[in-house]
Amino acid sequence: MSEALIVIDVQNDFCPGGALAVPEGDQIVPGINARMQDFGTIVLTQDWHPSGHSSFASSHSGKAPYDMIEMPYGPQVLWPDHCVQGSAGAAFHKDLDIDRADLIIRKGMNPAIDSYSAFFENDQNTPTGLEGYLRTRGVTALTLVGLATDFCVNFSAQDAARLGFKVRVQADLCRAIDLDGSLAAAWQAMQSAGVAKI
Ligand code: VGL
Ligand code: ZN
């Protein structure tokens, strides 16, 4: 019961054919389903943006997807519109075994702040509540899988390690966006934060 599997953002928009498709994003689904049986607690995260979210390029005139802008909380990549609340793209991949989840945590609802991490919004300050959920259930060790390795998995893993959880990221059950070397930088940052790559 002290180990949890955290499944990050395995949603249609991050799979081939989706608005922010991660190459091979769908290929990790069978392996994630199989891995669920090894854990006493299973948490799914769901990127869940209001339409017109500030992380969408379409919300900034003259900006294109993958441009960078400066937000009050720091630099922000602008994304194609994705994971809009209630849309088909925001739904979990149809083969993901969501019936096994103990908790589904949604993030990215604040229109003014993006939220890559399952623990904090990108202001690094506003909590999602996941830390409290895990601690009150006695969870001390986390294995992270899902999408995308270099964004939501990366930020979630670093935050979890900083919060004092024992953190592993299972690389074969993750896939990356990899913008300008962001995947290599993410593994470096995770390693420095004390995250184990398995
Ligand atoms: C993600 C970009 C924008 C992710 C979410 O799940 O990695 N990336 N929103
Ligand atoms: Zn998002």
Side-chain angles (χ1 to χ4, degrees):
M1 275 313 245
S2 65
E3 296 218 15
L5 181 68
I6 314 290
V7 181
I8 304 288
D9 297 1
V10 180
Q11 295 167 259
N12 292 325
D13 271 342
F14 297 122
C15 291
L20 179 35
V22 178
E24 303 184 348
D26 55 336
Q27 292 185 15
I28 61 178
V29 173
I32 292 174
N33 289 340
R35 198 74 169 91
M36 286 180 179
Q37 69 194 31
D38 303 331
F39 293 86
T41 299
I42 296 165
V43 175
L44 311 182
T45 71
Q46 194 169 25
D47 210 32
W48 196 249
H49 300 305
S51 57
H53 191 262
S54 59
S55 75
F56 297 169
S58 63
S59 303
H60 304 267
S61 64
K63 295 292 182 188
Y66 310 106
D67 285 351
M68 297 283 302
I69 58 163
E70 208 49 51
M71 295 290 268
Y73 53 82
Q76 167 76 47
V77 182
L78 293 176
W79 302 108
D81 290 23
H82 66 278
C83 296
V84 172
Q85 296 171 4
S87 67
F92 290 111
H93 186 283
K94 66 173 180 19
D95 297 331
L96 185 68
D97 196 356
I98 60 175
D99 292 351
R100 306 273 291 274
D102 296 281
L103 176 73
I104 297 175
I105 191 140
R106 290 174 169 165
K107 61 188 179 63
M109 285 92 83
N110 184 331
I113 312 179
D114 206 2
S115 187
Y116 295 146
S117 167
F119 293 92
F120 296 99
E121 299 196 18
N122 284 8
D123 63 2
Q124 292 286 306
N125 193 43
T126 309
T128 63
L130 180 57
E131 179 192 4
Y133 174 84
L134 295 171
R135 285 204 200 288
T136 52
R137 289 170 57 104
V139 172
T140 53
L142 311 179
T143 297
L144 276 69
V145 298
L147 306 171
T149 322
D150 40 348
F151 288 91
C152 291
V153 174
N154 171 30
F155 283 77
S156 299
Q158 288 192 56
D159 281 347
R162 236 176 267 123
L163 291 169
F165 293 97
K166 177 177 169 152
V167 186
R168 304 183 185 96
V169 172
Q170 187 168 339
D172 66 326
L173 296 181
C174 297
R175 289 293 185 276
I177 297 173
D178 204 12
L179 289 179
D180 293 327
S182 59
L183 180 59
W187 281 122
Q188 197 67 52
M190 287 191 275
Q191 228 122 40
S192 302
V195 173
K197 179 182 184 178
I198 62 169

